[in-house]
Amino acid sequence: MGNLRHMLRARTLLGPGPCNPYPEATAALGQPLLGHLDPLFLQVLDETSDRLRTVFGTANRRTLPLSATGSAGMEAAFVNTVGPGDVAVVAVNGLFGQRMVDVASRTGAEVVAVEHEWGQPVDAERVLAAHPSPKVIAAVHAETSTGVESDMAALGAGKGGALLIADCVTSLGGIPVELDAWGVDIAYSGSQKCLGVAPGLAPFTISDRAWERRITKPQSWYLDLGMLGGYAGEAAGSGGRTYHHTAPTGMVVSLHAGLGRVLEEGLPAVHARHAAAGGALQAGLVERGMRLFAAEGSRLPELTTVWVPDGVDSAGVRKRLLEEYSIEIGGGVGEFAATVWRIGMMGHNARPDTVALVLAALDDVLA
Amino acid sequence: MGNLRHMLRARTLLGPGPCNPYPEATAALGQPLLGHLDPLFLQVLDETSDRLRTVFGTANRRTLPLSATGSAGMEAAFVNTVGPGDVAVVAVNGLFGQRMVDVASRTGAEVVAVEHEWGQPVDAERVLAAHPSPKVIAAVHAETSTGVESDMAALGAGKGGALLIADCVTSLGGIPVELDAWGVDIAYSGSQKCLGVAPGLAPFTISDRAWERRITKPQSWYLDLGMLGGYAGEAAGSGGRTYHHTAPTGMVVSLHAGLGRVLEEGLPAVHARHAAAGGALQAGLVERGMRLFAAEGSRLPELTTVWVPDGVDSAGVRKRLLEEYSIEIGGGVGEFAATVWRIGMMGHNARPDTVALVLAALDDVLA
């Protein structure tokens, strides 16, 4: 059987995530493991929830890292809020909006999908007009498939009696997220994008308003927020803890460390660093004659989408970048699989030297 | 905000899991991270599936680590096999059998629970007679709540047309598991027990026979084996890989390393080490006048249950062990919360020095 000796050279991870974690997040994984009911671990968990509240821009007491990846956060959002007889309006402007439709429809809810051209932001007016009284409205804040940011505040302002669900997988820690100011009721993210931690956890938050209207016995036991609340989030501070499942303690300690690094640098500085790296990358690509994919004005700094130049073999370039430069960038998604590249500047990688490296490598490979 | 300076002293984790990981598993978490579509990572994933086949005792090609903890493995087993109109017979001889009933009932299936006294093994005859034509029969191989092993081969021999689901969370890597020989169709485990890896992954396997009778669009998107099969397991070796969700690559590399350590030592030697450690612990407790909880003949070596001596404050002893000796042991479950202790000898901890340490510490605290 093989071992890890083939991993002699570190990858520079500039795809749509995971990115290279913050060194503090990796170092935390080497700490002695804690049990999931150890008072020391529960303190780390509570601090992690506090830190998540800060990056999410929310005071929601029910804020915690779910024990699975970001897509499980999406599933938790829907199975805890809708079921047969409920209407969910879903804005679709990329793969993750499509995934929301699939996930929501498996609850038995009626799903109204509002389709958009890929590369465009969500049209709040059209989404809000799609149904007179949905139970939830859902949209992706930062579409990982297209590199597009959408305006969640516009949806929050017009949501009326509906609950607003925001996918913040690729936005959290990279661009400002202000859930309470925007009127978002439920949001989730992933540890491996701009938060700069390995994949494996889904930061999650739900407002009191949404909590009161939740499905009390959701179809998923693992993602049942009512049961999870006894272990984390709701009970924090009250002293009462009920075992639900064995939390991935090492990963939580790592997320705690990654968030600590982000908050030590300061959220405005972290956002500025992402904006500078993404802006420099996008300018560099345009200088080289390439065309950006995402609509102007809605381009994410942390994930750049660019058309593959005419006549260039997309997969061949990615293979050479990986094999010769140990740099990973992403291909496109769906019909754009072979015609678009996705280049991430996330977390610890959002730096000028990373921009210079990937541009230089592209220059060499495309020469 | 706090940092990790309070974690100056490593815990010796002798509760029901997590245990202290094998050093190789922890070291792997410090390796440079790989992307989930990197050919190097896919090679590690395929080798991990191979290694899991060996420890599970199966040739099932669909064998993979699910991206969540053991309880998600349980949910995956049920949501992919039963729904409205199906009958699930579940053997209940502890908390995890009860959990199976809850998880299975959320699919809309008719659940026939066959109750047993806690501390006793599953009565195969009674379980097999509980319903004439169930779609699935499910039982826990090693009950983490009671420290009891049950005979899965007896269920496999009499299962008839039913699919047999085995919970191997606390058995895999600690005692022999021979799924194919026993006739088990679906099994799952957790990374943090006898496999000696941090919590966060659920090793999972499903036979071709069960695959053909699966629910093709299960209520869970995240645990949809049909979609997961495109990424891991089924497609392995064929070259075709479809993105499903971002796999927790760091954790998979760690599981790969932990399994490598187990197989390098050799499964018979690893099982013998667990048997020796558990046997020595149980003999030591009996020598000290304590009474074991689990039925004689069905006691797990990797998890010992023992009655708290009369007049002793169970929680107080656990608190002193944790604070003075940095040793974690577990309390009991349910009605036995304050009257039973659970002491694990799992993975890297299944050693004579660990047995000596916990017995010496108990002697001091109980003196």
Side-chain angles (χ1 to χ4, degrees):
Chain A
M1 305 227 178
N3 58 28
L4 298 175
R5 64 180 171 270
H6 53 268
M7 289 171 60
L8 292 176
R9 197 170 168 202
R11 298 297 199 205
T12 301
L13 299 175
L14 304 181
C19 62
N20 298 91
Y22 286 113
E24 292 85 345
T26 302
L29 293 170
Q31 293 274 339
L33 198 68
L34 289 170
H36 54 289
L37 297 172
D38 191 311
L40 290 184
F41 174 71
L42 295 174
Q43 182 188 329
V44 171
L45 180 61
D46 289 348
E47 286 184 9
T48 302
S49 293
D50 280 344
R51 293 174 183 190
L52 287 175
R53 274 184 276 273
T54 303
V55 295
F56 268 131
T58 185
N60 291 341
R61 55 184 171 152
R62 294 180 184 88
T63 301
L64 75 168
L66 298 182
S67 305
T69 63
S71 294
M74 181 189 289
E75 186 154 319
F78 287 100
V79 300
N80 283 282
T81 55
V82 292
D86 293 323
V87 173
V89 169
V90 177
V92 179
N93 66 332
L95 178 73
F96 293 90
Q98 288 181 338
R99 180 170 299 179
M100 281 178 159
V101 171
D102 189 349
V103 169
S105 69
R106 294 183 194 223
T107 68
E110 179 193 337
V111 180
V112 179
V114 184
E115 299 285 347
H116 297 68
E117 190 185 342
W118 285 35
Q120 295 296 321
V122 167
D123 178 344
E125 217 167 314
R126 215 151 51 79
V127 172
L128 293 171
H131 191 277
S133 58
K135 181 166 182 192
V136 305
I137 298 170
V140 178
H141 182 214
E143 243 302 344
T144 318
S145 61
T146 63
V148 163
E149 178 178 3
S150 289
D151 182 0
M152 302 307 300
L155 291 171
K159 70 179 179 181
L163 301 172
L164 178 57
I165 296 174
D167 179 317
C168 295
V169 170
T170 293
S171 57
L172 197 69
I175 54 176
V177 172
E178 295 291 347
L179 299 184
D180 289 357
W182 296 344
V184 173
D185 295 285
I186 297 159
Y188 55 87
S189 188
S191 47
Q192 79 279 11
K193 310 271 186 180
C194 301
L195 295 177
V197 177
L201 293 176
F204 190 93
T205 188
I206 180 169
S207 68
D208 283 352
R209 178 168 172 271
W211 180 259
E212 281 153 22
R213 297 177 60 194
R214 79 187 188 279
I215 306 288
T216 49
K217 190 164 182 174
Q219 63 193 34
S220 171
W221 181 93
Y222 191 67
L223 301 172
D224 181 338
L225 293 176
M227 301 179 83
L228 278 165
Y231 175 67
E234 188 180 10
S238 75
R241 301 280 191 166
T242 313
Y243 165 72
H244 177 254
H245 68 279
T246 301
T249 52
M251 280 299 305
V252 172
V253 170
S254 182
L255 176 61
H256 177 264
L259 288 165
R261 161 74 181 249
V262 165
L263 295 175
E264 192 175 60
E265 183 175 348
L267 273 180
V270 169
H271 295 153
R273 183 161 52 75
H274 280 84
L281 174 65
Q282 289 166 16
L285 294 169
V286 169
E287 267 169 34
R288 283 156 178 79
M290 288 189 244
R291 289 181 304 125
L292 301 176
F293 176 78
E296 198 171 352
S298 301
R299 291 173 186 153
L300 293 169
E302 67 270 37
L303 185 62
T304 294
T305 45
V306 60
W307 290 98
V308 177
D310 288 342
V312 168
D313 169 21
S314 164
V317 168
R318 291 173 54 215
K319 189 161 186 282
R320 281 192 61 196
L321 287 174
L322 195 66
E323 292 180 355
E324 297 174 26
Y325 297 83
S326 211
I327 293 173
E328 177 178 276
I329 70 167
V333 173
E335 65 173 297
F336 306 104
T339 51
V340 167
W341 287 320
R342 293 181 296 159
I343 309 179
M345 288 288 150
M346 298 180 180
H348 191 47
N349 286 347
R351 300 186 317 259
D353 58 302
T354 320
V355 177
L357 171 68
V358 70
L359 288 174
L362 274 173
D363 284 343
D364 289 351
V365 171
L366 293 174
Chain B
M1 304 230 176
N3 59 26
L4 299 175
R5 63 180 172 270
H6 52 269
M7 289 172 60
L8 291 175
R9 198 170 167 201
R11 298 296 199 206
T12 301
L13 299 175
L14 303 180
C19 62
N20 298 92
Y22 286 113
E24 292 85 346
T26 302
L29 293 170
Q31 293 276 340
L33 198 68
L34 288 170
H36 54 289
L37 298 172
D38 191 311
L40 292 182
F41 174 70
L42 295 174
Q43 182 188 331
V44 171
L45 180 61
D46 288 347
E47 286 184 10
T48 303
S49 293
D50 281 343
R51 292 174 184 190
L52 287 175
R53 275 184 275 273
T54 303
V55 294
F56 268 130
T58 185
N60 291 340
R61 56 184 171 152
R62 294 181 185 88
T63 302
L64 75 167
L66 299 181
S67 304
T69 64
S71 294
M74 181 189 290
E75 187 154 319
F78 287 102
V79 300
N80 283 282
T81 54
V82 292
D86 294 322
V87 173
V89 168
V90 178
V92 179
N93 66 332
L95 178 73
F96 293 91
Q98 288 182 337
R99 180 169 300 179
M100 282 178 159
V101 172
D102 188 349
V103 169
S105 70
R106 294 184 193 221
T107 68
E110 179 192 338
V111 180
V112 179
V114 183
E115 300 284 347
H116 297 68
E117 191 186 341
W118 285 35
Q120 294 296 321
V122 167
D123 179 344
E125 217 167 314
R126 215 150 52 79
V127 172
L128 293 171
H131 191 277
S133 58
K135 180 165 182 193
V136 305
I137 298 170
V140 178
H141 182 213
E143 242 301 343
T144 319
S145 61
T146 63
V148 163
E149 178 177 4
S150 288
D151 182 359
M152 301 307 301
L155 291 171
K159 70 179 179 181
L163 302 171
L164 178 57
I165 296 174
D167 179 316
C168 296
V169 170
T170 293
S171 58
L172 197 68
I175 55 176
V177 171
E178 294 291 348
L179 299 184
D180 289 357
W182 297 344
V184 173
D185 295 285
I186 297 158
Y188 54 88
S189 188
S191 48
Q192 78 280 10
K193 310 272 186 182
C194 301
L195 295 177
V197 176
L201 292 176
F204 190 93
T205 188
I206 179 169
S207 68
D208 283 352
R209 179 169 172 270
W211 181 258
E212 281 152 23
R213 298 177 60 194
R214 78 186 188 281
I215 306 288
T216 50
K217 190 165 181 173
Q219 63 193 34
S220 171
W221 180 93
Y222 192 66
L223 301 172
D224 181 337
L225 292 177
M227 301 180 82
L228 278 166
Y231 176 66
E234 188 181 10
S238 74
R241 301 282 191 166
T242 313
Y243 164 72
H244 178 255
H245 68 278
T246 302
T249 53
M251 281 299 305
V252 172
V253 170
S254 182
L255 176 61
H256 177 265
L259 288 165
R261 161 74 182 249
V262 165
L263 295 176
E264 191 176 60
E265 183 176 348
L267 272 180
V270 170
H271 295 153
R273 183 161 53 74
H274 280 84
L281 174 65
Q282 290 167 14
L285 293 170
V286 169
E287 268 169 33
R288 283 158 177 79
M290 289 189 243
R291 289 181 303 125
L292 300 176
F293 176 77
E296 198 170 352
S298 301
R299 290 172 186 153
L300 293 169
E302 67 271 37
L303 186 62
T304 294
T305 44
V306 60
W307 290 97
V308 176
D310 288 342
V312 168
D313 169 20
S314 164
V317 168
R318 290 173 55 215
K319 189 162 187 281
R320 280 193 61 196
L321 286 173
L322 194 66
E323 292 180 355
E324 297 174 25
Y325 297 83
S326 210
I327 293 173
E328 177 178 274
I329 69 168
V333 173
E335 65 173 297
F336 305 104
T339 52
V340 167
W341 287 319
R342 293 181 297 160
I343 308 179
M345 286 290 150
M346 297 180 180
H348 191 47
N349 286 348
R351 302 186 316 259
D353 58 301
T354 320
V355 177
L357 172 67
V358 70
L359 287 174
L362 275 173
D363 283 344
D364 288 352
V365 172
L366 293 173

